[in-house]
Amino acid sequence: MSRMREIIIQEIRTKGPITFARFMEMALYYPGLGYYTGKGVKIGPAGDFYTSPDVHPAFGQMLARQFFEMWKHLERPARWFLVEYGAGKGRLAQHILNFLQERHPEAFTGLTYYLVEISPYFLELQKEELKKFSSPSTRVIPVKTGAELPEKLTGCLFSNELVDSFPVHRVRQTREGLKEIYVNYRKNSFVEEEGPLSSPLLASYFSDEDVALAPGQEAEVNLAAREWLKQASGRLRKGFLLTIDYGGTARELYSPFKHQGTLRCFFKHQLIASPYQNIGRQDITASVNFSALMRWGREFGLQNLGLLTQARFLLKLGILDLAAGAAADYLFDAERLKMTLAIKKLIMPEGMGEAFRVLIQSKGFRELPRLNVFQTF
Ligand SMILES: C[S@@+](CC[C@H](N)C(=O)[O-])C[C@H]1O[C@@H](n2cnc3c(N)ncnc32)[C@H](O)[C@@H]1O
């Protein structure tokens, strides 16, 4: 039996059944043994899943373009910040920093780039990837938690596939009302049991979201996202918060067609239905409810500038011009084909283009900034 499994069973034996959120928190983040906190390749061909920075540098280059526009809306501050939450191995940071350094040196100088990453394993990898960027005028700083950030900063906070990796509560609509799903251990296996809601926020969540679950329907609620949003927005004096992830609005996510919810696991590029297999060795994730991020954002003083698909976001930022320019310039046929296929994956509906959404929120502007991605084509 794996050590991680043993530790979870031990906690259940001493405390009784645990919420699914607690189970997921341990399976992913238990110090040294959780999926993200343990060693081992996770993202990319030798890992369990791909993320956009692994598909092609064009993704990071488009984000860099977006940040440059935001920097101009902030009136070109001499000192400004980019904060990437859940920065993984640092590849996205590398693509963004490369692009700003080459194309927009006026914004690159004076930039402090923080990578917030809970996993010590990823923090080590980041140091290697990013050594070359630090200079007296541009600083790149990996940190373990948001508590290590400056109290107040001007700039852009952002994340790619962070929120979907937060532990989620799971609930079920029953005849007796909404119940939470707990994890127990009986007869040598994990079993799910219904119990009372563990937080008052769960009781009001669906009415606040203006949706009703169908009888028997299961759903996930990401309360950790609210806590993160509260802390992140609290650090922002003036600027933007950009969140990229798979998911949708509450209506999409909690529709009767998603009767079993959206929880799923990844192990060596295979979709695994059960979170009780490969504990500590497989990713567990759930789609993100962007309506809740917008509602909570308002609560914490953010302005919602808009929600759009990744396809539209990347197209508006000119990903196709980039492909065409590079192809005409210097790429050999095989490389050109590789680039075209990668960009297709990032923007096509059956790839990442429609499943992924981009939410942009702002703070501290008297007049709402009009970003190009929200202007009609
Ligand atoms: C799915 S991975 C995405 C990594 C990277 N952003 C990418 O696009 O390849 C999620 C990352 O978020 C990190 N993470 C999860 N919760 C976190 C938290 N509370 N603070 C900082 N990082 C966190 C995980 O350790 C992991 O590296």
Side-chain angles (χ1 to χ4, degrees):
M1 188 189 292
S2 83
R3 182 86 189 101
M4 189 64 259
R5 197 178 159 91
E6 256 175 51
I7 290 171
I8 296 176
I9 294 170
Q10 196 49 44
E11 176 154 325
I12 294 173
R13 286 205 173 115
T14 42
K15 294 189 183 159
I18 55 175
T19 62
F20 184 83
R22 174 64 184 151
F23 170 84
M24 185 166 163
E25 185 188 13
M26 287 203 273
L28 295 185
Y29 301 109
Y30 193 87
L33 294 174
Y35 175 71
Y36 281 112
T37 38
K39 283 198 167 63
V41 181
K42 295 148 213 321
I43 308 173
D48 303 297
F49 57 89
Y50 285 98
T51 58
S52 296
D54 264 296
V55 174
H56 199 271
F59 178 75
Q61 292 164 358
M62 294 305 103
L63 272 172
R65 271 192 185 161
Q66 180 59 87
F67 297 142
F68 180 62
E69 188 196 359
M70 289 170 168
W71 177 74
K72 290 190 280 183
H73 278 284
L74 288 165
E75 295 167 36
R76 301 168 179 262
R79 281 197 66 211
W80 69 301
F81 293 83
L82 284 175
V83 179
E84 183 185 352
Y85 286 89
K89 56 193 175 185
R91 183 155 292 186
L92 180 57
Q94 199 182 30
H95 299 154
I96 292 170
L97 286 160
N98 260 331
F99 192 84
L100 288 177
Q101 188 173 35
E102 273 175 30
R103 308 283 180 99
H104 303 297
E106 68 277 39
F108 183 74
T109 306
L111 168 66
T112 301
Y113 192 122
Y114 276 97
L115 297 95
V116 185
E117 175 51 62
I118 200 171
S119 158
Y121 164 74
F122 278 140
L123 281 171
E124 265 321 297
L125 296 183
Q126 288 171 10
K127 280 187 198 142
E128 275 308 305
E129 291 253 347
L130 300 166
K131 251 192 250 161
K132 67 172 188 180
F133 291 105
S134 271
S135 72
S137 57
T138 305
R139 295 185 310 150
V140 180
I141 310 176
V143 293
K144 198 159 182 243
T145 75
E148 296 168 65
L149 296 172
E151 283 271 297
K152 288 282 174 206
L153 52 87
T154 295
C156 312
L157 317 180
F158 70 103
S159 64
N160 182 57
E161 291 205 41
L162 166 79
V163 181
D164 74 77
S165 68
F166 288 156
V168 289
H169 293 264
R170 284 173 60 213
V171 295
R172 185 180 295 139
Q173 189 65 48
T174 74
R175 277 192 200 154
E176 293 80 43
L178 195 64
K179 297 280 180 193
E180 181 151 359
I181 295 175
Y182 286 76
V183 181
N184 203 351
Y185 191 74
R186 289 174 197 275
K187 295 190 190 148
N188 297 326
S189 58
F190 289 103
V191 288
E192 297 184 348
E193 296 174 350
E194 287 168 5
L197 300 178
S198 62
S199 157
L201 288 171
L202 293 172
S204 58
Y205 179 82
F206 292 97
S207 55
D208 290 343
E209 289 296 309
D210 203 19
V211 289
L213 297 182
Q217 187 173 354
E218 289 177 12
E220 301 83 28
V221 182
N222 191 336
L223 293 183
R226 182 179 185 274
E227 205 40 50
W228 164 73
L229 201 60
K230 185 177 177 184
Q231 303 205 349
S233 57
R235 297 275 161 175
L236 201 55
R237 178 184 298 113
K238 185 172 182 183
F240 300 87
L241 179 67
L242 187 152
T243 307
I244 307 178
D245 222 314
Y246 39 80
T249 60
R251 265 174 210 285
E252 291 171 307
L253 227 60
Y254 301 125
S255 96
F257 297 110
K258 301 231 163 57
H259 201 75
Q260 300 301 121
T262 66
L263 192 91
R264 53 211 183 270
C265 310
F266 290 95
F267 183 63
K268 298 194 190 307
H269 297 278
Q270 281 179 46
L271 186 64
I272 310 275
S274 170
Y276 307 112
Q277 290 177 21
N278 313 307
I279 298 176
R281 293 188 300 128
Q282 70 178 12
D283 187 27
I284 311 175
T285 175
S287 298
V288 172
N289 175 10
F290 282 95
S291 309
L293 295 186
M294 290 191 265
R295 176 165 61 84
W296 291 329
R298 275 191 293 274
E299 199 183 312
F300 304 134
L302 297 176
Q303 303 138 337
N304 293 311
L305 297 185
L307 176 68
L308 69 177
T309 62
Q310 174 165 303
R312 188 185 154 100
F313 177 74
L314 295 176
L315 288 170
K316 283 295 287 182
L317 285 161
I319 198 165
L320 293 183
D321 313 344
L322 190 93
D329 279 356
Y330 61 87
L331 289 183
F332 296 114
D333 281 353
E335 286 178 67
R336 185 163 55 216
L337 185 64
K338 219 163 124 187
M339 181 172 190
T340 312
L341 287 176
I343 289 179
K344 206 169 146 194
K345 188 166 179 185
L346 291 172
I347 61 175
M348 291 301 276
E350 63 275 19
M352 298 163 122
E354 296 289 323
F356 279 73
R357 306 286 162 92
V358 183
L359 171 64
I360 306 185
Q361 297 165 300
S362 66
K363 187 174 174 188
F365 289 91
R366 231 178 273 154
E367 223 175 279
L368 286 193
R370 286 171 54 81
L371 295 177
N372 191 42
V373 287
F374 296 117
Q375 309 313 312
T376 44
F377 275 94

